[in-house]
Amino acid sequence: MYLCSSFFSCQTKEKDRLFVIQGEAQGSTYALKYCSTSEVINKQSIDSLLLAFDYSLSTYRTDSKISKINLGDSTMVVDDFFVETFKTSQKIYQETDGLFDPTIGVLVNAYGFGPNQGKFDLNPSKIDSLLQFVGFDKVQLNKDRTISKNSERRILTSMLLHKAIL
């Protein structure tokens, strides 16, 4: 028994260290901090994941899947990021009876908050004419992973940015 306890008391447990990964993504910066005995993930892995997310869902990138869909490309095949975000948006849209609506992009742009900067002369009539392009219930994710929608209907994903964090 004495030998056994002496043996274990001589072993030292490796201590956790703080790892910090910082970078730029999605028009901002990020910092990831974690404690571990060894490096679990590296900056390149995080950056490649965030870049893949951007190429799928960033409305500020003209080369992203969502931007191409918003410009009318009905042949764009979406990826898992898009599908998961779309289904989550659809669920929240239904649960809120349409109060949460990712297709309000045309109104966001009209008020000057979207990628198309500039404020327009809005009046009730103009707003009513824009509302015809709002309605997530009129957007469909097809079995072939393409999106069917009216050409003027824009999908905003910035409302679900928490997906980028997950």
Side-chain angles (χ1 to χ4, degrees):
M1 183 80 152
Y2 177 74
L3 272 177
C4 186
S5 64
S6 293
F7 175 73
F8 285 116
S9 67
C10 291
Q11 290 183 338
T12 58
K13 184 178 177 186
E14 200 174 338
K15 291 190 174 197
D16 282 347
R17 297 181 303 166
L18 177 65
F19 290 88
V20 179
I21 301 172
Q22 297 177 325
E24 295 180 10
Q26 302 171 347
S28 188
T29 60
Y30 72 87
L32 173 68
K33 298 178 182 183
Y34 66 94
C35 293
S36 180
T37 55
S38 63
E39 183 179 60
V40 177
I41 195 162
N42 60 38
K43 183 176 178 352
Q44 183 179 2
S45 297
I46 297 293
D47 287 346
S48 65
L49 178 67
L50 291 172
L51 186 61
F53 183 88
D54 268 1
Y55 277 123
S56 179
L57 293 166
S58 174
T59 55
Y60 289 91
R61 292 187 70 107
T62 58
D63 57 349
S64 72
K65 290 182 182 293
I66 195 162
S67 290
K68 290 177 181 178
I69 290 166
N70 282 341
L71 290 174
D73 186 344
S74 60
T75 64
M76 178 61 59
V77 176
V78 297
D79 56 18
D80 290 339
F81 286 126
F82 196 105
V83 170
E84 184 178 345
T85 302
F86 186 93
K87 287 180 178 180
T88 301
S89 297
Q90 199 170 43
K91 182 178 183 221
I92 297 170
Y93 176 82
Q94 291 166 351
E95 288 175 356
T96 62
D97 293 323
L99 293 176
F100 170 85
D101 191 336
T103 64
I104 64 164
V106 66
L107 291 173
V108 170
N109 286 337
Y111 280 101
F113 296 114
N116 303 333
Q117 298 290 319
K119 192 165 182 166
F120 303 95
D121 183 27
L122 295 177
N123 57 49
S125 176
K126 178 68 173 171
I127 292 170
D128 284 344
S129 72
L130 293 174
L131 284 173
Q132 69 180 317
F133 303 115
V134 176
F136 197 58
D137 57 327
K138 297 173 185 89
V139 179
Q140 182 176 340
L141 173 62
N142 302 313
K143 288 183 181 183
D144 64 357
R145 288 188 156 210
T146 59
I147 302 293
S148 298
K149 67 176 189 64
N150 175 294
S151 63
E152 293 299 317
R153 190 163 277 110
R154 304 269 189 259
I155 304 169
L156 293 177
T157 56
S158 56
M159 291 186 252
L160 289 177
L161 279 181
H162 72 275
K163 287 290 182 188
I165 297 169
L166 299 177

